[in-house]
Amino acid sequence: MGMDVLKVLSANGLVALFGLVSSLVLPKILKLEDYAYYQAFLLYLSYVAVFHLGFPTGLSIKYAGGQVEKINRSQYKSEFILQILIPAFFSVIGICIYLYSANAMVLYISFLTVSYCFFGGFLSLLQSWGRFGLYAVLRVLTSGGLLLLPIIYFLIEGRLSADNCIQFYLLVYAIMMIWGLNYNASLIRNAESKKIFSNENFQTGK
């Protein structure tokens, strides 16, 4: 237990450090309007989690203290599908709004909705299942990628825009989502999914 706490605290410390470095470096290499646009993006992104409707939170509570090897794979497969479908529904709505408004920020947020919600829920489940080491590694890799990729791009190209930073956000979360999907696929492979829109699943989201 002590090592698990140390892993999580170490990861949180590194994430905080990466955030501090980012807040010091990015204002120096981005133009003022680009930095303002990027900060607006981060503000809007902070609200994206509402689009999972609390379902991953319910799953984290349901599986808290359990072992991933002992989960009901058929039930979890239906829950896993819902973790994708719920934010995907709002993502499609966002893309439709973009087609009407041609607002690039709406498109960015729409594209990130699924990966951001899914990966956040996946990290919570890792904690519920006691996979603290993996949780810590993924958090550090995500935050490290979001910090280093823009800096490396600036060092190579000599320029950096808000769009570049946001595109790196999309890339990092796409990679993390693919990894999370692969991890989940290993859990539910060959399992027959229970009914997706079931009372049990709706109770989980409350």
Side-chain angles (χ1 to χ4, degrees), residues 95-107:
I95 292 172
C96 292
I97 294 174
Y98 164 75
L99 294 175
Y100 175 78
S101 66
N103 187 320
M105 183 71 78
V106 173
L107 184 63

Side-chain angles (χ1 to χ4, degrees), residues 89-125:
F89 171 77
F90 291 102
S91 181
V92 170
I93 291 177
I95 292 172
C96 292
I97 294 174
Y98 164 75
L99 294 175
Y100 175 78
S101 66
N103 187 320
M105 183 71 78
V106 173
L107 184 63
Y108 286 141
I109 296 298
S110 299
F111 279 157
L112 258 173
T113 296
V114 177
S115 58
Y116 190 83
C117 289
F118 170 79
F119 188 64
F122 178 57
L123 288 178
S124 297
L125 278 173

Side-chain angles (χ1 to χ4, degrees), residues 7-64:
K7 291 174 184 176
V8 173
L9 289 178
S10 298
N12 290 341
L14 284 173
V15 170
L17 178 61
F18 291 154
L20 176 62
V21 173
S22 178
S23 67
L24 294 174
V25 173
L26 288 184
K28 296 183 179 299
I29 61 179
L30 284 170
K31 295 179 180 179
L32 180 60
E33 57 270 24
D34 280 311
Y35 186 68
Y37 189 81
Y38 182 58
Q39 289 301 306
F41 162 77
L42 293 178
L43 175 64
Y44 296 141
L45 186 63
S46 67
Y47 295 110
V48 163
V50 303
F51 294 140
H52 61 47
L53 303 182
F55 188 70
T57 305
L59 287 181
S60 299
I61 296 172
K62 174 181 178 178
Y63 289 112

Side-chain angles (χ1 to χ4, degrees), residues 124-170:
S124 297
L125 278 173
L126 288 178
Q127 292 183 87
S128 296
W129 291 329
R131 298 298 178 92
F132 297 106
L134 181 56
Y135 163 85
V137 169
L138 292 178
R139 280 212 71 194
V140 171
L141 287 177
T142 303
S143 297
L146 295 175
L147 169 65
L148 293 176
L149 287 176
I151 294 175
I152 292 172
Y153 181 87
F154 175 78
L155 293 175
I156 294 174
E157 295 292 329
R159 58 183 174 81
L160 183 70
S161 69
D163 286 324
N164 295 144
C165 293
I166 295 172
Q167 288 156 8
F168 286 129
Y169 232 101
L170 289 165

Side-chain angles (χ1 to χ4, degrees), residues 118-119 138 141-142 171-181:
F118 170 79
F119 188 64
L138 292 178
L141 287 177
T142 303
L171 175 62
V172 168
Y173 270 90
I175 293 172
M176 291 297 106
M177 181 171 179
I178 290 170
W179 199 96
L181 290 174

